[in-house]
């Protein structure tokens, strides 16, 4: 079945540091890949997505590239801010009739001033 | 303006009670979902409806029963609440075309505490 593996958190960085959160997946066919962010006390928001190999999703300074050969979709940001502190979820949808999103376990990011 | 709205936001209740959580979306999406988030933030799908038809029913106790009166609403009723039901429940919706899912929009969650 489908699965998503994210790096274990928590991740603690200083402001303006470089961020990488690793995500690898197992899926049938050619899944669509997503990153969601959950700020404290809130629901999940779609951060970025990619629907085919070599696509790069980007939003708010975050980027992730769909790498089919390594089955990866790592999240990066060049300079994090305190306001980026949140839980980040990698997810996939492998198509099919149930439209199910399979989530990773989430990575807590804390950015200190 | 709220795209996916859930009520109530907080729910504290005693074991054995029956409660409902309501969800409405105004995005014109055709598919709605219920997810459960445990204390470790792990998200697990419970149910999904596409055009009012149940298409996902994961291994969930039959004390949980979803109801979709129309495409814009998906409610969750829980009978005989147990301590282990304490969690945050998220409603979500998505637009689909064929076999493709264009990503979810989530509600802000309902924090259920069973005492």
């Amino acid at each position: 079945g489908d699965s998503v593996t994210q790096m274990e958190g928590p991740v603690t960085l200083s402001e303006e540091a470089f961020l990488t959160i690793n995500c690898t997946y197992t899926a049938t066919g050619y899944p669509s890949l997503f990153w969601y962010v959950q700020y404290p006390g809130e629901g999940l928001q779609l951060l970025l997505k990619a629907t085919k190999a070599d696509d790069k999703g980007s939003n708010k300074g975050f980027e992730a590239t769909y790498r089919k050969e390594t089955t990866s979709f790592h999240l990066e940001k060049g300079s994090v801010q305190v306001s980026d502190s949140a839980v980040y979820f990698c997810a996939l949808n492998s198509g099919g009739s149930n439209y199910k999103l399979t989530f990773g376990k989430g990575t807590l990011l804390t950015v200190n001033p | 303006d709220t795209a996916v709205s859930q009520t109530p936001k907080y729910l504290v209740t005693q074991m054995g009670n029956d409660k409902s959580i309501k969800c409405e979306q105004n995005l014109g999406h055709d598919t709605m979902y219920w997810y459960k988030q445990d204390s470790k933030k792990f998200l697990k799908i419970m149910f999904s409806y596409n055009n009012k038809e149940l298409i996902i029913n994961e291994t969930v106790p039959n004390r949980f029963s979803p109801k979709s009166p129309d495409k814009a609403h998906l409610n969750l009723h829980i009978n005989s609440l147990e301590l282990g039901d304490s969690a945050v429940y998220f409603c979500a919706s998505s637009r689909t075309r064929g076999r493709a899912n264009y990503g979810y929009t989530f509600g802000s969650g309902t924090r259920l505490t069973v005492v």
Side-chain angles (χ1 to χ4, degrees), chain A residues 38-112:
Chain A
Q38 184 177 27
Y39 298 103
E42 298 184 13
L44 281 76
Q45 302 174 25
L46 179 63
L47 182 59
L48 54 84
K49 67 180 181 183
T51 57
K52 61 183 187 297
D54 300 325
D55 269 1
K56 178 185 283 188
S58 62
N59 186 23
K60 300 182 182 179
F62 290 89
E63 292 183 340
T65 301
Y66 188 142
R67 301 285 187 203
K68 182 169 175 290
E69 62 276 12
T70 55
T71 61
S72 65
F73 193 54
H74 304 321
L75 182 69
E76 296 182 337
K77 186 175 186 183
S79 176
V80 293
Q81 305 300 312
V82 172
S83 57
D84 294 327
S85 298
V87 180
Y88 292 81
F89 293 90
C90 186
L92 72 83
N93 170 245
S94 59
S97 59
N98 63 22
Y99 311 121
K100 174 180 169 181
L101 270 186
T102 299
F103 286 89
K105 292 186 176 181
T107 303
L108 173 62
L109 169 67
T110 301
V111 180
N112 295 319

Side-chain angles (χ1 to χ4, degrees), chain B residues 42-54:
Chain B
F42 184 65
L43 282 156
K44 182 172 170 56
I45 193 165
M46 301 174 69
F47 302 104
S48 172
Y49 273 75
N50 175 253
N51 290 316
K52 294 172 51 184
E53 179 185 351
L54 180 65

Side-chain angles (χ1 to χ4, degrees), chain B residues 81-100:
Chain B
L81 278 154
E82 300 177 359
L83 292 176
D85 298 331
S86 297
V88 181
Y89 292 84
F90 285 102
C91 178
S93 69
S94 69
R95 179 174 67 90
T96 59
R97 176 184 292 181
R99 297 166 69 87

